[in-house]
Amino acid sequence: MEEKFELLIRAVESLKQEPNIFKDYIFPIVSAFLSALFGALIAYFTLKRQESLKIEKEKLDAANKWTLDIQKARSSLIAIKQNYFKDLSSNPTQRVGSVPTILIKAENITESYADLGFIVPTEAEMKKEDLKWAQISRVDTLVSNFNALLTMWNHRNRVNEEFKLAILKTFGDGPYLNLTLEDAVAAFGQSGMIILIDITERCLKLTDHLIIETNDFLENFPYVVEKKISLKRLKKYSQLLKYHHDGNEKFLEMLELMPETDYSTVTAIFGETEEQLKERHLTGYEQP
């Protein structure tokens, strides 16, 4: 009996496994470490993806914000031009009378350019194609000229009201569209007419220039942005704004330049040649 019991004990002992350091100690530790590492990697890449998506959203928001700002500026410029574009002759004195005092409802563009940093092209990109609206300096020039123009129009309005009052006092309550330069100088003075003609021509030229520039921005800026944003990832978020005039005749009229000014009739009061006067009203309008 004892012999059978001993055999049973030996059989049980033979079933007992030998200690395994890897299985009993190392594997549990490594397994826990790998699980933690795997979880950390998942969290890291998830966070990176979320951050990347956030950056793409910010780019799209910035692009759309600038597009809306410039579209609003273009609309304001067109609203201004609609006050005179059908009645303008080439005579500087008659042009003064054809451009009324205009109620300016537009506001300055005050956006920061920091959010446009993503559009800056590499040297390789600049060599391949013309990316003029990828140059922040060009956008800055457009905005600066627009803001300056609003100030100029408001200044022109004040001078024009003074001119109208002077004409009223001198010639009575009659139309002044057909006044001669001599009549205008007699009523408003030589210096007054120089200021009024000069500011009028600057406003007309810069308004034409900026309508064309803002339209060019709206047509071409989205194509610059497309190269810098992953739009496929943002389908469920928003879309990139684009504008097309679709051949609208009234809008196309706004893109036409006003008649060139014939400065020959005012060279005497300015004390400058025609070429000097033309140069005066072109300076500063060219983009970089």
Side-chain angles (χ1 to χ4, degrees):
M1 182 68 178
E2 290 182 3
E3 186 178 347
K4 290 182 179 181
F5 186 70
E6 288 179 2
L7 290 173
L8 181 60
I9 292 174
R10 290 175 183 173
V12 171
E13 289 179 345
S14 67
L15 294 174
K16 184 179 179 181
Q17 296 181 353
E18 292 295 327
N20 190 316
I21 295 176
F22 176 79
K23 182 178 180 181
D24 295 339
Y25 301 102
I26 298 178
F27 179 76
I29 295 173
V30 172
S31 178
F33 173 76
L34 291 176
S35 296
L37 178 62
F38 186 64
L41 287 173
I42 291 177
Y44 172 78
F45 285 111
T46 299
L47 181 61
K48 290 289 288 184
R49 184 178 182 279
Q50 291 175 343
E51 289 179 348
S52 174
L53 187 61
K54 180 184 176 183
I55 291 172
E56 294 303 303
K57 288 180 179 179
E58 290 174 349
K59 289 179 183 178
L60 181 60
D61 289 342
N64 285 342
K65 178 192 66 178
W66 274 98
T67 298
L68 289 171
D69 282 344
I70 301 302
Q71 189 275 333
K72 185 177 179 181
R74 185 184 68 176
S75 296
S76 298
L77 294 168
I78 289 174
I80 290 171
K81 187 171 181 176
Q82 285 174 334
N83 287 275
Y84 58 78
F85 82 102
K86 289 184 178 180
D87 303 316
L88 223 54
S89 70
S90 62
N91 184 289
T93 307
Q94 292 178 357
R95 285 160 80 93
V96 164
S98 298
V99 181
T101 298
I102 301 171
L103 178 62
I104 308 294
K105 295 183 179 180
E107 298 179 354
N108 285 359
I109 298 175
T110 57
E111 300 290 356
S112 167
Y113 299 101
D115 57 5
L116 283 181
F118 73 94
I119 69 172
V120 177
T122 63
E123 290 186 10
E125 289 173 329
M126 286 299 294
K127 290 178 181 178
K128 289 181 180 178
E129 53 187 313
D130 179 16
L131 298 174
K132 61 183 179 181
W133 291 117
Q135 301 177 53
I136 295 180
S137 60
R138 189 181 182 92
V139 181
D140 176 57
T141 301
L142 172 62
V143 170
S144 297
N145 279 342
F146 174 76
N147 292 342
L149 178 62
L150 297 185
T151 300
M152 288 167 58
W153 271 115
N154 285 323
H155 177 56
R156 196 264 173 193
N157 285 341
R158 290 192 294 270
V159 177
N160 190 55
E161 287 300 303
E162 294 172 3
F163 172 67
K164 288 166 61 178
L165 183 60
I167 294 299
L168 181 63
K169 289 181 178 179
T170 304
F171 298 104
D173 186 15
Y176 59 88
L177 291 179
N178 295 318
L179 284 174
T180 65
L181 178 61
E182 291 72 20
D183 290 336
V185 169
F188 200 45
Q190 181 174 334
S191 62
M193 285 308 298
I194 289 175
I195 292 171
L196 182 55
I197 291 173
D198 183 68
I199 192 68
T200 299
E201 291 303 321
R202 289 181 183 275
C203 286
L204 295 177
K205 295 288 194 309
L206 190 50
T207 298
D208 271 355
H209 172 79
L210 288 178
I211 288 176
I212 293 171
E213 279 291 282
T214 52
N215 186 66
D216 190 78
F217 177 96
L218 293 173
E219 289 188 348
N220 295 300
F221 179 68
Y223 298 105
V224 172
V225 173
E226 284 179 337
K227 296 177 173 63
K228 299 292 184 176
I229 299 180
S230 178
L231 293 174
K232 290 183 179 180
R233 298 177 61 190
L234 300 174
K235 283 184 177 180
K236 295 182 179 180
Y237 176 67
S238 184
Q239 293 183 340
L240 180 64
L241 294 178
K242 295 182 179 181
Y243 286 89
H244 300 285
H245 55 73
D246 298 324
N248 183 284
E249 290 186 9
K250 290 184 177 180
F251 175 76
L252 292 176
E253 284 182 329
M254 294 296 103
L255 295 178
E256 294 179 5
L257 298 177
M258 290 291 91
E260 284 295 326
T261 312
D262 178 9
Y263 292 105
S264 63
T265 60
V266 294
T267 54
I269 67 168
F270 274 89
E272 299 180 43
T273 66
E274 291 184 52
E275 288 303 317
Q276 287 174 323
L277 289 174
K278 288 180 181 179
E279 184 66 23
R280 175 207 291 257
H281 297 128
L282 290 176
T283 302
Y285 301 159
E286 293 302 320
Q287 295 288 348

